Amino acid sequence: MNLSILIAQWNYVIVIALMMIGFYTVIARGNLIKKMVGLNIFQTSVFMLYISMGKIQDGTAPILSDDPTMIYSNPLPHVLILTAIVVGVATTAVGYALIIRIQESFDTIEEDEITEALNEEALAERLAEQH
Amino acid sequence: MSELILALLFLPLLAAVTTLLFRETPNIRDGASIGIGVLTAICSIQLFEMVQAGQSETLVLFAFAPGLSIGFTPEPLGALFALVAGCLWPLATLYSVGYMRGAKEKNHTRFFTFYAIAIHAAMGIALADGLITLFIFYEILTFSTYPLVAHKGNADAKSSGRIYLGILVTTSVTMLLLGIIAVWAIGGDLTFREGGVLADHLDPRFAPILLALFAFGIGKAALMPFHKWLPAAMVAPTPVSALLHAVAVVKAGVFSVLKVVIYIFGTDFLLETRASEWLIWIACFTIIAASLVAMSKTNLKARLAYSTISQLSYIVLGAAIASSIAVQGAALHIAMHAAGKITLFFCAGAIYVAHHYSDIKDMDGLGRRMPITFACFALGALSIIGIPPLGGSWSKFMLMMGALDAEHVFVIFVLMASSLLNLYYLGQPVIRAFFAQNTGETGFSEAPVAMLIPLVITAGMTVGLFFYADYFILSFKGVTP
Amino acid sequence: MNFFVVDAFLMVLLTIIGVMAVKQHRLFGVIILSGSYSLVAATWFVVLDAVDVAFTEAAVGAGVSTVLALATLSQVRSNEKKRPIEPLALTVSIGAGLLLLLAVMDMPLFKDPSAPVHVHVGPHYIGESGAEIGVPNIVTSVLASYRSFDTLGETVVVFAAAVSVFLVLAGWTRKRKSKDEA
Amino acid sequence: MNFLLHAPILQIVVPLLVAPLIILLRNRHIAWGLAMASTLATFLFTLHLFLTVNETGEAIIYELGNWPAPIGIVYVIDVANAYVLPLIAGVSAIATFAARGLVNAEIDIRDHSLFYAAWMLTIAGMLGQVATGDAFNIFVFLEISSLSAYALVAIGAGNDRRALPAAFNYLILGTIGATFYVIGVGLLYMVTGTLNLVDIAQRLPAIGDTHTGFAALAFISLGMFLKMALFPLHFWLVPAYSYAPSVVSALMAATATKVSVYVLIRILFGVFGVDFPGMDSLLGVVLLGLGVAGALIGTVAAITETDLKRLFAQSSIAQLGYMAIGLGLATKSGLAATFINLFNHALIKGAIFLALGAIAAQLGRVTMSNIQGAAKQIPMTIAAILFGGMALIGLPLTAGFISKLYLLRAILEEGAWVVAVFTVMSSILALIYVWKIIEVAYLNDRPKGAPVLTETPAQWISAWVLVAATIYFGVQAEIIVDAAFSAADLFIGGNQ
Amino acid sequence: MHDDPVIRVVSKVLIPTIMLFGLYVQFHGDYGPGGGFQAGVIFASAFLLNAIVFGMNKGRHVWSPAFNLQCIALGVLVYGGTGIAGLLLDGNFLDFNVLLANPVAGQHLGILLVEFGVGLTVASVMVGLFFAFASRPAHNRLMHQEDTRLLKSSTEATAEPTTTGASVSKKGEVKK
C-alpha cells in the first residue's frame, strides 16, 4: 500500500492501531475485567475515528459566535459520539454487573476456569442422561 | 366429471370418518366402509370409461402459492390406476374384516381408518394434475401407511417401520423433491402435459441425471438399491401387504415414474436423447436380482415381496424403453400384476389365518386341505408368470414387443429368464401344496368365507383380464404409436 | 503547528497507555490505566473541537466506568492470570487493522475542508441551526432537535442499562443452582 | 388527530414508553397487562402499515421532529420492512401472552416488573432497527434491544448459573458486532457525508471503487454476521438460547436473529447494491460458503444434542445457513426465498420453543430422557413440537415446505447443483433429530417414577397459535410469497 | 472515614456546589458545552459523595431505591411525553416547532424539557448503579422490601413473604 498516504494520514493510522490494541485485548484476554477494559479502549478509539473526521482545518468548537467568518468543525460526529459514549457506558455497566454475578456463582472471572466448570457440569449431565 | 373426481377423493375419507364414528359397533363400521368401497369402485369404473372415451377436465381444489395448486386432471393412465385401486379396495376391505377378526388383530378402528386414508392418498396420486399435487399425496400415502406397517407395535414392527419410513421419506424428500424443483426451475411449470414439460428446455446432457432423481427418488417404485422398505413392510397384517404393498403403494410408485416419463420428459424426448438407456439396465438388474432373492426366501410373504419388486421393475422397464407399445404394456401391467399379486397375498393371508403357516416348508400337502385357496394361488401365480389364458401374458407380451421395436433385444432374454424364475419360485408352493406328502392331519379346512370370496373374485379377474385386455389398452396422446 | 505538537503528544501518550493497559496484569493498574486512557482521549477531543464529547468522555469514560470497574474489582481476584499471546486473536485483529489501513488509502484527508462530511449535511446544521433552533451550541441543537430521536434512544439505553443491572444483580441474595444441586 | 397517520412511529414508541411506565407502576399484574396491550397495539399498527404499503405500493416516509432527511432522522416503511414488522410484532404478542405463565414459573416474583420492562425494550429495539431509515439510528436501537436481551438471558431458566457466562459472551460478541457496525457506518459517513440510508445509496455510486467503501462493506457485514450468528460466528447463540428463561428463548429464537438478517439485507442490497465492487465475492463466496457450512454443521450438531433447547438452537444455526444461502445467490428469487424462510422459521421456532417452555416450566430442563412417553400426558404440547419439527424438515402442507421449495428453486435457477444437494442433505438430516424426539415422546413409555406432566390450554394455546399459522401459511402461502417477492423486488429489480 | 471532621465539613460545602454546578451544566447546555447527560453525571456525583462520606444508609434515606427507579422511569417518560405532545399538537413525533406559537420558542421549550428528561434519568441511573454495585446485598434486600410493600398495596392478593417469594411462586403458580 502507498506509504506516503499513510504518513499524511498518520492520525488515522494511530487511531486504527489503538483500536486494534483494544480489539486484541477483548478477544485474546481471558480475564473478564480485562476484556471489559479492552472493550473500553476499542470503543474509545472508534470514537476518536469519528471525531477526527469531524475536524476541519483551523475550525473551532461548533458553538455559534457573532463572528460570521468563523469556521466550525462538523457537529454531527460529536452528536453521534455523545450517543455512542452513553451506549458504551451502559454496556460496560451491564458487563460489570454480570462479572460480579459470575464471580459469585463460579468463584472466578478467568474464562478458562469458567469453561472448565461448565464442562464438568456438562459431563455430569451426560452421565445423568445415560442413567 | 368433477363430481366423480371429488367422489373418488373424498369417499375414502368419508369411510375413514364413518370408521371413527362407529368404532363402538364393528359390524356397522366395517359394513359402512365396504359399502363406501363399492361406491368408490363404481365411480372409478365410470371415470375410467369417460376418460377412455376421450373426455378430460381439470379440477383445481386450491392454489397454495403462486403457480402451485392442488389440482386434478384424470387422464387414461391415472384413470386406470384409480380403477385398479378403487375396484380392489372393497374386496380388500371385505377380506380384511375376515382377516382381522380371524387373526385376532387389535386396534381395528385405527387399522381401517388409516387403510381408508391410504386409499384417499392413492386416489390423489392417480388423479394429480401436476408434480406438486402428486408429491403431496405421495407423502400423505407414506405417512398414512406407517401406522399400518407398525400395526403390531412390537419391537420388530417398530424397527421395520423405521426402515419403511426412513427409506421412503429420505428418497422422496431428497431426490424426488429436488427433481421436482429442478423441473420447476428449468421448465417453469409442474403440470403434466402431453409431450412433456421439459422437451425443449432441458439440456439432453442433464436428462439422465434428472431422470435418476425421479427413478430413485420415487422410492415406492422399489428400484434397487432402494427396495429394502418393501420386504420390511411385510410385518404388517396381510391385508396391508395385499392392497397397499401389492397394489396401492407400490403401484403409486411405478405409476408416478410412468407419469413423469410420459408427461414431464415426454417419451419422444427420451427416445431421441436415449436418456433412459441406463434405466433399462437398472430395471433389468432389479428384475433378475429380485427374482433370485425371492427364490432364496422360504417365508411366503417375503418371497411374494421380492417377486413384487421384480414385477415392479417390469413397469419401470417399460417406462425406460419409452416406445409407445412398451409404455402401454407397462400401464397394462399395473392392472394385470395387481390382480395377480393381490390374489397371491390373499391366499397367503388365508393360509395364515386358517393354519398360522407362513413358511413354505409347512405347506406340504396343504393344497388338499384348502383346495380353493391353492387353486386361486395357482391362477394368480400363472398370471404373474405370464402364461395364457391369463392376464399377465398380455402385458409381458407387449413389453417384449416394445423392447423389440426399440431394438433392445437383450430385454427379451431378461424377460424370458425372469419368467422361468417366476415359474420356479411361484410354482414351487403350489406343487408342494398339491403333490408333496404331508404328515399332519387331513380334512377340508378353509379360511373364513369373508376371505374366500375376495380371493376367488380376484382370481377370476386374472382370467377375465386375459379376454378383456383390450379394454385396458390405453390410448395415450403425445406418445408416438 | 502547535496543534500538530499537542495532537502528536496526546496520540503517543494514548498509544503508551493502551499498550501498558494490555501488558499490565494487576487489574487495579489496568483499570486506572483505562481510566486515564479515557481522560487523555477527552483532552484530545478538546483539541479536535469536540468539547461536549470531551466533557462526556471525561465524566463517563474516566469517571463512571472507572468507579464501576473498581466496585467490581473489590469483589474479585485482583490479579489477572498470565497468558501467552494468542496467535489467532493476534492475526484476526491485525487483519482487521490492515483492512482499516486499506480504507485509509482512499479516505478524505484529515481536516480537509472539501471532505464530504464538511460539504453535505454538516453545513446545514452550522448554517441554519441558528435560525431554525436559535441555540448557540450547535451540538445541543443537533442532539436535542435534529436528531433528538437518537437521543431518546440514548436515554432509553441508559434506562435499559439500569433495568438490566437491577435484573442481573437482584439475584445476588438468591444463590445460583449449579447442576448437582438442581 | 389520526393515530394511524402516526402508525410508523407509534409502533415503536408505544412499547418503548410502556417500559418506563411498567417500572413506574411496579406491579407485576399491571406490568403483564401493559405489555400484552402494547404488543397487541403494536401488532395492529404494523398490520395497518403492511396493508397500506402493499395497497399503495410506495413507501411511507415519516420525518421525526419534522426534519426532512438527511438533516433529521426519518422512518421509511416500504414493502420490505412492512413485511418484517408484523412478523416481529405478532410473534412478540404471542410470546408475551405465553410469558404470563412461563414468567411465573421461572422468574422470581420480585423481578417481574423489571423483567417486563426489559422485555418491552427488547421488542421495541428490534422493531426500531427494522423501521428506521437512518444508519446510526439502527445502531442505537440495536443496542436497546441487545442490552435488555443480555439481562433477560442472564436471569437464566430457574436461575441456572450457566446463563451468566452465556450472557457475558453474548454481551462481548454483541458489542464487538455493534462496534464493527459503527466503524463501517463511520467509513460510509466519511465518504458520503450522510447517515440516511437512501441518501448514502444515492451517493455511493459517485464514489466508485474505493478501498474505504469496501472496508465499510466488510465491517458492516462482519458486525451483522456476528449479530445474526452466522456460522462460524454463532458460538454465543446456543448457550444464550438454551440457558435463558424459556419465554426469552422463544422470543429470541423467533425474532432476534431475523432482525439482524433483515438489517444485513437492507444494508447489503438496499445501500451498497449487488453491483457494488467486491459485493459478488462477499455474496457468492463468503455468504454462500458459510451458509452451506452452517446448514450442514448446525444440523449435525443438532443431532448430537440431548438437551432439546440446545438441539433446536443448533437447528437455528442451520436455518440461518439457509437464509445466508438465499442471500448469497444474489438473485431476486434467492432474496425472496430468504424473506420467506425468515417469516416461516420465525413461526416454527417460536412454536417449538414455546412448547418446550411449557415443559421446561415443569421439569426445569427438557432432555431426551425426561420427556420419554410424554406424549400420553401432554399430547397438545408434544404435538406442537412434532408439527414444528415436521415444518423444520420441510414436509408438505407446512410452511417449512414452502421455504424449502422456493430456496431450492432459487438455487437451481442458478444451476448451483452442489449447493442444492448440500441443502437437501441437511434438511434430511433434520429428519433424524426430529424422529429421535418423536420416538422418545410417542413410542417410548413414560418410565416409572418419572414426574407426571400436566398441561392446560393456557399453556399450549400460544404455541398452537403459531403451529396453526405454520400450517396455514403452508397451505395458503400466496400472501407470504407475493409479499416476499415484492420485498425482494425492492432490492433487486429486473432479473427473473 | 465517616468521622473525619475535615472531610465531613468539606463535603458539606462541596455537595451543594456540585449540585449547583450540575444545574448550571444542565441549563447552560444551550450556550456552552454540557447538557442533560453531563449534568446528570455531575448531579449524581453529589449524591455519591454524600453517600460515601455519610454512609450508605444515610445516602439511601436521601434517595430510596424505589424512588430512584421511579425517577429513572420518569425521565424517559418526560422525554417521550415531549415527543407525544408534539404528536398531539398535529405535528410529528418529537416535533418541537408546534409546542408553542413561535417555532423557535417551541424548539427552546422542547430542548429544555428533553434535556431535563435526560438529566433526570441519567442522574438517577448513576445513583442507582452506584448503590447497586457498591453495597449490593443490603441495597438488594432494601429494594425488595420496597417491592413487596408495593406489591401488598397493589392488587396482589396472595403476597408471599419476601424471603420465600421465589419458591412459593414456583410451587403455587405453575401447577394451577
Side-chain angles (χ1 to χ4, degrees):
Chain A
M1 41 181 85
N2 182 341
L3 285 176
S4 62
I5 298 183
L6 290 186
I7 292 160
Q9 299 275 57
W10 65 274
N11 216 306
Y12 285 118
V13 175
I14 293 187
V15 170
I16 290 168
L18 293 172
M19 244 186 242
M20 287 316 135
I21 290 175
F23 183 50
Y24 172 78
T25 319
V26 184
I27 56 178
R29 285 287 159 252
N31 181 298
L32 303 187
I33 290 188
K34 199 72 174 283
K35 274 182 184 291
M36 295 306 295
V37 169
L39 209 54
N40 177 34
I41 295 179
F42 183 31
Q43 289 184 313
T44 315
S45 322
V46 176
F47 304 159
M48 292 168 72
L49 175 73
Y50 271 74
I51 299 301
S52 339
M53 60 175 101
K55 174 65 179 172
I56 189 168
Q57 191 61 49
D58 37 61
T60 63
I63 297 173
L64 294 171
S65 66
D66 311 334
D67 175 4
T69 65
M70 187 75 77
I71 306 174
Y72 301 106
S73 287
N74 187 346
L76 186 48
H78 302 178
V79 174
L80 302 181
I81 290 318
L82 276 176
T83 311
I85 291 176
V86 176
V87 171
V89 72
T91 320
T92 317
V94 178
Y96 281 124
L98 281 171
I99 291 180
I100 289 181
R101 286 297 300 281
I102 290 175
Q103 167 70 28
E104 156 68 11
S105 21
F106 290 83
D107 192 33
T108 173
I109 58 166
E110 294 290 339
E111 209 168 32
D112 45 6
E113 291 168 11
I114 297 168
T115 329
E116 218 171 285
L118 288 180
N119 292 342
E120 280 163 15
E121 271 186 35
L123 195 67
E125 224 158 62
R126 278 277 143 80
L127 294 176
E129 274 295 301
Q130 271 133 33
H131 302 139
Chain B
M1 188 167 201
S2 53
E3 319 67 48
L4 275 179
I5 299 174
L6 288 175
L8 282 177
L9 280 173
F10 290 107
L11 280 175
L13 276 188
L14 178 66
V17 174
T18 50
T19 313
L20 283 174
L21 286 183
F22 300 114
R23 74 174 77 78
E24 300 310 330
T25 52
N27 294 332
I28 303 178
R29 177 192 65 196
D30 303 344
S33 45
I34 293 170
I36 296 172
V38 174
L39 268 178
T40 319
I42 295 165
C43 295
S44 63
I45 295 166
Q46 274 192 357
L47 184 76
F48 182 73
E49 278 175 342
M50 290 169 82
V51 173
Q52 282 295 65
Q55 297 186 41
S56 180
E57 177 176 330
T58 300
L59 168 72
V60 173
L61 223 51
F62 63 83
F64 65 91
L68 299 177
S69 58
I70 304 286
F72 305 94
T73 332
E75 45 72 55
L77 189 56
L80 174 64
F81 180 38
L83 176 71
V84 173
C87 292
L88 293 182
W89 179 41
L91 292 173
T93 318
L94 175 61
Y95 178 83
S96 326
V97 174
Y99 181 91
M100 296 299 280
R101 298 183 182 184
K104 313 256 183 315
E105 293 277 358
K106 292 183 204 56
N107 302 334
H108 290 212
T109 306
R110 188 182 74 195
F111 178 87
F112 285 110
T113 313
F114 281 105
Y115 208 75
I117 295 177
I119 295 301
H120 161 74
M123 289 297 178
I125 296 175
L127 305 176
D129 75 333
L131 280 174
I132 274 294
T133 315
L134 187 137
F135 180 75
I136 288 172
F137 280 97
Y138 184 95
E139 293 295 349
I140 295 178
L141 184 56
T142 309
F143 282 95
S144 60
T145 44
Y146 170 76
L148 299 174
V149 171
H151 183 81
K152 287 198 176 64
N154 53 25
D156 182 22
K158 257 188 227 169
S159 63
S160 308
R162 210 177 295 144
I163 298 171
Y164 182 80
L165 211 55
I167 293 179
L168 288 183
V169 173
T170 309
T171 48
S172 65
V173 174
T174 50
M175 291 178 276
L176 176 55
L177 184 58
L178 199 56
I180 290 174
I181 296 170
V183 170
W184 194 22
I186 297 166
D189 187 11
L190 283 177
T191 47
F192 298 124
R193 240 191 278 118
E194 281 141 4
V197 177
L198 294 170
D200 32 10
H201 301 287
L202 179 61
D203 174 350
R205 282 176 289 119
F206 289 137
I209 304 167
L210 195 51
L211 183 62
L213 285 178
F214 282 105
F216 292 119
I218 300 171
K220 289 189 165 64
L223 206 57
M224 283 185 176
F226 295 109
H227 62 288
K228 275 263 174 281
W229 62 270
L230 188 47
M234 289 305 149
V235 299
T238 310
V240 178
S241 320
L243 180 61
L244 300 176
H245 302 110
V247 182
V249 173
V250 289
K251 292 299 185 299
V254 285
F255 166 80
S256 312
V257 175
L258 270 176
K259 280 278 239 191
V260 170
V261 165
I262 299 169
Y263 297 106
I264 295 297
F265 285 90
T267 46
D268 304 359
F269 176 79
L270 288 179
L271 272 177
E272 69 207 29
T273 58
R274 315 183 72 77
S276 53
E277 289 275 311
W278 63 273
L279 186 54
I280 299 177
W281 292 97
I282 300 283
C284 291
F285 171 78
T286 310
I287 292 175
I288 299 301
S291 309
L292 291 174
V293 178
M295 287 167 65
S296 70
K297 298 286 178 193
T298 60
N299 176 308
L300 183 54
K301 279 179 75 177
R303 179 173 286 195
L304 293 179
Y306 274 97
S307 134
T308 312
I309 296 175
S310 140
Q311 292 292 319
L312 291 173
S313 285
Y314 279 57
I315 300 166
V316 178
L317 179 67
I321 293 169
S323 73
S324 72
I325 306 185
V327 170
Q328 284 172 326
L332 189 59
H333 199 62
I334 289 181
M336 298 309 183
H337 173 256
K341 193 47 77 54
I342 199 169
T343 317
L344 295 184
F345 272 106
F346 279 171
C347 299
I351 296 163
Y352 177 76
V353 169
H355 299 285
H356 295 286
Y357 291 154
S358 57
D359 197 304
I360 295 168
K361 293 193 300 305
D362 310 331
M363 298 181 186
D364 293 0
L366 204 55
R368 292 188 215 98
R369 307 191 58 197
M370 348 183 28
I372 308 171
T373 310
F374 272 94
C376 297
F377 191 98
L379 280 175
L382 292 173
S383 168
I384 301 276
I385 298 159
I387 293 171
L390 290 162
S393 52
W394 283 120
S395 49
K396 223 167 221 180
F397 176 67
M398 289 179 74
L399 280 171
M400 291 183 174
M401 297 297 296
L404 265 183
D405 65 43
E407 290 118 14
H408 296 298
V409 185
F410 69 94
V411 171
I412 313 287
F413 295 107
V414 171
L415 292 178
M416 291 298 191
S418 95
S419 304
L420 291 178
L421 293 170
N422 291 343
L423 188 55
Y424 171 75
Y425 66 74
L426 289 179
Q428 185 201 29
V430 186
I431 312 287
R432 293 182 72 154
F434 281 118
F435 303 110
Q437 280 308 327
N438 77 314
T439 50
E441 79 281 14
T442 53
F444 181 87
S445 78
E446 275 284 5
V449 65
M451 299 171 71
L452 282 183
I453 297 168
L455 68 85
V456 170
I457 296 176
T458 50
M461 283 183 180
T462 56
V463 185
L465 282 171
F466 177 80
F467 299 102
Y468 297 99
D470 56 346
Y471 177 75
F472 297 97
I473 303 291
L474 305 179
S475 54
F476 289 111
K477 302 196 207 62
V479 177
T480 43
Chain C
M1 198 57 223
N2 54 4
F3 171 85
F4 172 81
V5 174
V6 181
D7 182 15
F9 170 70
L10 291 174
M11 277 298 193
V12 173
L13 200 55
L14 281 170
T15 325
I16 295 167
I17 296 176
V19 175
M20 281 170 71
V22 182
K23 292 196 128 351
Q24 177 62 258
H25 289 296
R26 286 185 47 254
L27 291 174
F28 182 78
V30 173
I31 291 167
I32 296 304
L33 279 169
S34 92
S36 45
Y37 184 90
S38 300
L39 211 52
V40 179
T43 331
W44 186 78
F45 289 150
V46 178
V47 177
L48 269 73
D49 308 338
V51 278
D52 290 82
V53 179
F55 202 154
T56 317
E57 180 64 30
V60 171
V64 177
S65 320
T66 315
V67 171
L68 295 181
L70 290 174
T72 313
L73 184 62
S74 67
Q75 316 269 358
V76 302
R77 219 184 304 152
S78 63
N79 277 351
E80 178 201 18
K81 213 179 182 190
K82 290 205 174 44
R83 271 192 198 68
I85 288 180
E86 299 261 343
L88 177 64
L90 200 61
T91 29
V92 168
S93 36
I94 288 175
L98 288 179
L99 192 55
L100 278 168
L101 284 184
L102 211 62
V104 174
M105 291 288 131
D106 303 338
M107 275 184 190
L109 282 176
F110 183 49
K111 301 200 287 180
D112 174 10
S114 65
V117 290
H118 296 307
V119 293
H120 185 33
V121 176
H124 178 278
Y125 297 135
I126 296 169
E128 311 302 323
S129 71
E132 288 176 344
I133 315 280
V135 169
N137 185 349
I138 308 175
V139 172
T140 305
S141 38
V142 177
L143 183 90
S145 184
Y146 291 110
R147 295 186 67 89
S148 63
F149 192 63
D150 264 354
T151 313
L152 172 62
E154 165 189 341
T155 320
V156 173
V157 168
V158 178
F159 170 72
V163 170
S164 310
V165 169
F166 292 152
L167 255 181
V168 172
L169 293 188
W172 174 271
T173 45
R174 307 192 285 279
K175 205 144 168 356
R176 284 271 167 151
K177 291 203 242 45
S178 70
K179 260 289 135 289
D180 37 75
E181 301 164 35
Chain D
M1 55 156 295
N2 172 9
F3 272 101
L4 287 182
L5 213 64
H6 297 279
I9 191 63
L10 285 175
Q11 59 162 338
I12 314 293
V13 168
V14 168
L16 204 63
L17 293 186
V18 160
L21 210 58
I22 288 173
I23 292 296
L24 205 58
L25 300 173
R26 304 232 47 178
N27 168 307
R28 58 202 194 90
H29 302 289
I30 298 176
W32 179 79
L34 279 173
M36 195 65 238
S38 55
T39 41
L40 273 179
T42 307
F43 179 54
L44 294 181
F45 282 131
T46 51
L47 217 52
H48 165 77
L49 289 174
F50 176 76
L51 295 176
T52 38
V53 167
N54 279 295
E55 199 176 293
T56 61
E58 67 222 22
I60 305 172
I61 295 182
Y62 189 92
E63 297 172 341
L64 286 148
N66 225 349
W67 298 112
I71 303 307
I73 297 170
V74 297
Y75 267 16
V76 183
I77 310 295
D78 53 29
V79 283
N81 54 13
Y83 165 86
V84 180
L85 286 168
L87 170 68
I88 296 165
V91 175
S92 310
I94 295 167
T96 313
F97 180 80
R100 184 88 177 114
L102 293 176
V103 167
N104 282 337
E106 285 183 339
I107 291 164
D108 188 314
I109 194 167
R110 293 165 291 183
D111 295 342
H112 284 192
S113 42
L114 284 170
F115 171 89
Y116 281 114
W119 177 261
M120 292 317 297
L121 289 176
T122 316
I123 294 169
M126 290 192 295
L127 292 164
Q129 291 173 64
V130 177
T132 185
D134 182 282
F136 198 80
N137 197 240
I138 291 181
F139 163 71
V140 174
F141 276 84
L142 181 116
E143 283 297 342
I144 292 179
S145 66
S146 310
L147 263 184
S148 25
Y150 305 146
L152 289 178
V153 170
I155 298 169
N159 267 353
D160 188 334
R161 70 169 182 166
R162 286 169 297 180
L164 292 168
F168 188 81
N169 284 336
Y170 184 19
L171 178 138
I172 291 292
L173 288 173
T175 314
I176 292 177
T179 315
F180 271 35
Y181 175 82
V182 173
I183 296 175
V185 169
L187 296 175
L188 275 183
Y189 173 66
M190 200 182 247
V191 292
T192 58
T194 173
L195 290 164
N196 179 281
L197 291 172
V198 180
D199 200 15
I200 298 175
Q202 284 165 350
R203 294 168 157 269
L204 263 184
I207 285 93
D209 182 358
T210 64
H211 296 102
T212 319
F214 177 73
L217 174 64
F219 272 94
I220 293 181
S221 315
L222 277 174
M224 280 304 140
F225 289 175
L226 259 170
K227 274 287 178 187
M228 71 188 246
L230 177 65
F231 174 87
L233 304 175
H234 65 283
F235 292 108
W236 59 268
L237 183 138
V238 174
Y241 282 13
S242 41
Y243 300 131
S246 311
V247 67
V248 177
S249 321
L251 178 69
M252 290 179 57
T255 55
T257 48
K258 314 290 176 302
V259 171
S260 311
V261 172
Y262 171 77
V263 173
L264 185 71
I265 293 175
R266 181 152 213 88
I267 304 273
L268 286 191
F269 297 93
V271 174
F272 287 97
V274 271
D275 307 328
F276 189 81
M279 191 61 129
D280 46 1
S281 55
L282 173 72
L283 296 173
V285 180
V286 179
L287 262 173
L288 207 55
L290 294 183
V292 171
L296 281 176
I297 291 169
T299 318
V300 173
I303 294 173
T304 65
E305 293 289 355
T306 55
D307 178 321
L308 265 64
K309 268 185 169 183
R310 288 183 67 89
L311 187 155
F312 284 111
Q314 297 281 20
S315 94
S316 288
I317 306 294
Q319 296 289 333
L320 282 158
Y322 294 148
M323 295 180 207
I325 293 173
L327 299 186
L329 294 170
T331 64
K332 184 175 161 186
S333 37
L335 202 52
T338 298
F339 270 115
I340 297 171
N341 210 332
L342 193 133
F343 186 95
N344 293 340
H345 181 244
L347 298 182
I348 298 167
K349 272 291 150 64
I352 291 178
F353 271 93
L354 284 178
L356 288 179
I359 307 174
Q362 304 177 46
L363 297 180
R365 307 268 311 289
V366 190
T367 65
M368 288 289 182
S369 60
N370 70 9
I371 61 160
Q372 286 195 28
K376 293 177 189 62
Q377 294 178 349
I378 46 172
M380 293 307 279
T381 316
I382 296 290
I385 299 177
L386 169 66
F387 276 107
M390 289 185 153
L392 276 181
I393 305 168
L395 292 180
L397 307 180
T398 67
F401 179 63
I402 305 294
S403 324
K404 206 160 98 193
L405 212 56
Y406 280 91
L407 177 59
L408 283 170
R409 183 193 178 178
I411 295 172
L412 291 180
E413 276 173 355
E414 292 303 288
W417 281 89
V418 184
V419 180
V421 170
F422 280 129
T423 314
V424 164
M425 226 197 284
S426 102
S427 76
I428 197 61
L429 288 177
L431 180 65
I432 296 177
Y433 62 73
V434 172
W435 187 251
K436 266 164 72 187
I437 298 171
I438 294 174
E439 279 205 338
V440 167
Y442 280 91
L443 304 184
N444 295 13
D445 299 328
R446 193 120 180 94
K448 301 271 171 296
V452 177
L453 294 163
T454 59
E455 68 177 0
T456 63
Q459 280 165 324
W460 51 256
I461 189 71
S462 40
W464 267 92
V465 171
L466 288 173
V467 170
T470 316
I471 293 166
Y472 176 79
F473 288 118
V475 182
Q476 286 297 324
E478 210 118 21
I479 322 147
I480 295 311
V481 174
D482 290 341
F485 269 92
S486 49
D489 195 40
L490 190 77
F491 296 115
I492 305 180
N495 61 335
Q496 354 94 15
Chain E
M1 96 190 183
H2 295 178
D3 38 28
D4 178 336
V6 178
I7 292 180
R8 295 172 76 88
V9 172
V10 170
S11 39
K12 269 192 162 52
V13 182
L14 217 52
I15 288 167
T17 345
I18 296 176
M19 288 184 162
L20 203 62
F21 181 56
L23 288 174
Y24 168 80
V25 173
Q26 169 84 54
F27 295 111
H28 190 264
D30 305 5
Y31 305 95
F37 191 83
Q38 298 90 330
V41 176
I42 294 169
F43 214 78
S45 61
F47 281 92
L48 305 200
L49 184 59
N50 174 57
I52 293 167
V53 176
F54 301 102
M56 290 297 154
N57 294 330
K58 263 251 179 54
R60 212 176 282 104
H61 291 317
V62 179
W63 188 287
S64 87
F67 174 64
N68 179 330
L69 266 173
Q70 285 164 341
C71 289
I72 297 174
L74 264 179
V76 180
L77 287 173
V78 167
Y79 201 134
T82 320
I84 300 281
L87 192 145
L88 291 173
L89 297 167
D90 301 342
N92 277 358
F93 185 73
L94 284 172
D95 186 347
F96 301 150
N97 291 331
V98 296
L99 290 183
L100 295 177
N102 170 356
V104 173
Q107 288 289 347
H108 271 283
L109 176 62
I111 292 178
L112 201 71
L113 290 169
V114 165
E115 292 277 12
F116 172 70
V118 176
L120 182 57
T121 302
V122 170
S124 33
V125 166
M126 291 308 157
V127 175
L129 288 185
F130 175 77
F131 282 143
F133 274 83
S135 60
R136 253 201 13 291
H139 164 266
N140 192 32
R141 199 188 67 249
L142 222 151
M143 244 182 76
H144 284 148
Q145 278 172 10
E146 301 281 345
D147 281 15
T148 37
R149 203 191 66 242
L150 282 155
L151 282 176
K152 284 203 189 68
S153 67
S154 74
T155 59
E156 172 75 348
T158 61
E160 303 85 354
T162 317
T163 49
T164 59
S167 53
V168 171
S169 71
K170 276 199 171 49
K171 305 244 173 325
E173 314 222 352
V174 185
K175 292 286 174 283
K176 75 160 170 276

